[in-house]
Amino acid sequence: MLSEEELQKKWESLTFTDNFIFSHVMHDEDICRQVVELILGVRIGKIHYLSAQDEHKTDPDSMRIIMDVFLRDEDKIINVEMQTGHKKELPRRSRYYQSVADVSTTPSSSLYPNLPDSILIFICTFDPFDKNFPRYTFQYSCDEEPQLKLKDGSLRIFLNTSAEKLNNLDQKLQAFYHYIQKGVVESELTQNISRKITTLKNDSIVRRCYMTWSITMADMRHEGFEEGLEQGREEGVYQNKLETAKTFLSMKLSPEQVAHGTNLPLDVVLELAQTK
């Protein structure tokens, strides 16, 4: 297990590609909007966050997932994920994430024509399909007639930010790739992201939350969750955030401070405060 000094050094070295940092940065509505619009190449409406690293499952016995950034505007739901480990199951993972997003946001009274568009974005620090493309965009089409699109409203985008040839990308998107690759600041957006990360790292509440999270993840691995950090993360992150929130509340931090440090919705923290 890492010492407190080692955890502090790790905290100071975290970048935008770390899930904890990524989720907190993307909870800044201005930055989130800029990132999503840059990737999609279109304007989006008013953002409403559906979760921030909250646990999602379609029923008590289904597989749990943790979404980094889950939001919607007037007519679509958008899930943005930071992916740093090259996993062969990423295509099937994307299928499951998109299906859970649909089920968790669709009231039982809804009609199929009223389903919002669903967009899933994986920001990968590797080439997920080994074709050397900086970007992979998937929509359903007919094998017999590729020009025939299903038009079911679903879209999956995988960014390969490790790509070297970025000539076909917008200049601002190239700057975003360079920031993820090397941490260089070349645009207003990456400057805003860098400033936000500095602010987070100077926030004692957020830092304390990260320390608690890191220790819990280390304990889970030690106790037999060696099938991977991803499983431990997806099974335990949300519960750990709840326990961290309880600890912060017992330290007399305000619900607003606790929500900020843990990235839990304020109504969840208020409910925890009432049950103490």
Side-chain angles (χ1 to χ4, degrees), residues 11 52 61 77 172 182 202 224 228 251 264:
W11 168 251
D61 296 321
I77 54 177
K172 291 181 179 179
K182 304 174 183 178
N202 290 329
M251 297 167 62
L264 283 169

Side-chain angles (χ1 to χ4, degrees), residues 72-244:
R72 73 174 300 157
D73 67 0
E74 287 87 347
D75 58 1
K76 53 187 169 291
I77 54 177
I78 303 171
N79 177 205
V80 188
E81 299 290 319
M82 176 62 71
Q83 195 70 44
T84 58
H86 198 328
K87 296 178 174 61
K88 293 182 179 180
E89 79 278 6
L90 195 57
R92 290 181 181 268
R93 175 188 290 270
S94 71
R95 166 185 154 190
Y96 190 74
Y97 270 52
Q98 205 155 33
S99 65
V100 171
D102 276 338
V103 172
S104 64
T105 58
T106 305
S108 59
S109 59
S110 293
L111 301 175
Y112 291 120
N114 297 330
L115 285 176
D117 287 351
S118 176
I119 300 173
L120 174 59
I121 300 169
F122 275 100
I123 302 175
C124 303
T125 59
F126 54 89
D127 188 340
F129 301 103
D130 300 320
K131 297 296 183 180
N132 299 318
F133 295 142
R135 175 193 183 107
Y136 301 88
T137 304
F138 293 90
Q139 293 176 295
Y140 294 112
S141 62
C142 179
D143 286 348
E144 291 75 15
E145 180 54 66
Q147 298 303 316
L148 176 60
K149 303 298 182 181
L150 187 59
K151 296 182 180 180
D152 66 341
S154 65
L155 173 67
R156 300 182 207 178
I157 298 172
F158 299 79
L159 301 187
N160 167 25
T161 63
S162 67
E164 295 181 0
K165 296 181 179 180
L166 306 176
N167 297 338
N168 293 332
L169 300 182
D170 173 90
Q171 190 172 2
K172 291 181 179 179
L173 190 54
Q174 289 186 38
F176 182 68
Y177 275 52
H178 291 158
Y179 181 72
I180 293 177
Q181 289 174 345
K182 304 174 183 178
V184 295
V185 175
E186 301 174 336
S187 66
E188 181 180 355
L189 171 59
T190 55
Q191 185 177 58
N192 291 339
I193 293 174
S194 182
R195 286 174 177 169
K196 182 66 176 182
I197 292 175
T198 298
T199 299
L200 287 171
K201 288 185 177 181
N202 290 329
D203 190 314
S204 60
I205 296 174
V206 177
R207 182 177 69 248
R208 195 180 309 168
C209 181
Y210 174 78
M211 300 294 186
T212 304
W213 176 83
S214 295
I215 292 171
T216 301
M217 289 298 102
D219 288 344
M220 291 176 70
R221 288 195 298 272
H222 180 71
E223 292 171 5
F225 288 86
E226 289 295 347
E227 292 184 7
L229 176 59
E230 191 67 24
Q231 177 181 347
R233 175 177 175 266
E234 295 195 356
E235 292 291 336
V237 167
Y238 187 61
Q239 187 60 41
N240 176 56
K241 287 167 69 175
L242 293 178
E243 294 302 320
T244 302

